[in-house]
Amino acid sequence: MSGEPDWPPPGWSQQDCDRMVGITYRNLCEQIAGGQVDDPTTALADLDRLWQGRSVYWMTPTLAMPDEDDWLTDREVAQWVGCRPASVRMWATRARQGGDGVIPVNGRYRWGDVQAYRQRMNQRRQGRTDG
């Protein structure tokens, strides 16, 4: 798997992309368990770098969550919530057009507003509107 610039492939959903990430990590685990990998730590770091080079970060652990009042760029928000920066910018477009979304201030999104918006989205998906 090379770091080709065409990621994600045309027509792939977020679920397709996440599934591919999971499959690559599972394959690495199988190779490690089968004794096919001499240096598992380096192999894992290499796989992490490959996905991070494609702006996929959800699989790498982090110790500190943003504070509710932290202001993040669209890219940082996308890393934390597991989507593309373009999706985050679409939330702002929806909000500016009178829909539900998150409006950035000076190109940054308040983390607490992002969390509240995502909670509202999840409630709508579950068919609930109570908050």
Side-chain angles (χ1 to χ4, degrees):
M1 191 173 267
S2 65
E4 70 273 2
D6 191 20
W7 179 260
W12 276 36
S13 68
Q14 185 67 48
Q15 184 177 12
D16 294 332
C17 296
D18 292 345
R19 184 176 292 124
M20 178 56 72
V21 172
I23 288 169
T24 61
Y25 280 91
R26 181 180 174 91
N27 288 343
L28 177 60
C29 288
E30 290 173 354
Q31 291 170 0
I32 291 169
Q36 300 167 342
V37 176
D38 293 329
D39 185 355
T41 302
T42 300
L44 179 60
D46 289 345
L47 190 54
D48 287 343
R49 277 191 294 279
L50 175 115
W51 287 115
Q52 289 168 358
R54 295 176 179 174
S55 298
V56 179
Y57 297 90
W58 61 261
M59 70 294 172
T60 50
T62 184
L63 298 177
M65 289 286 293
D67 183 67
E68 182 176 293
D69 290 321
D70 285 345
W71 291 86
L72 308 175
T73 65
D74 56 354
R75 186 178 180 111
E76 292 167 331
V77 170
Q79 289 173 4
W80 279 105
V81 302
C83 69
R84 297 180 189 99
S87 297
V88 176
R89 292 188 297 273
M90 183 58 70
W91 303 343
T93 300
R94 277 192 213 121
R96 288 185 187 110
Q97 294 173 347
D100 192 15
V102 181
I103 296 179
V105 175
N106 295 325
R108 294 188 172 262
Y109 299 79
R110 184 177 165 273
W111 182 243
D113 295 341
V114 169
Q115 291 176 306
Y117 172 64
R118 289 183 45 84
Q119 183 177 8
R120 292 189 306 270
M121 284 190 340
N122 288 337
Q123 288 173 340
R124 278 194 298 273
R125 284 188 190 121
Q126 295 170 5
R128 298 189 321 242
T129 56
D130 58 321

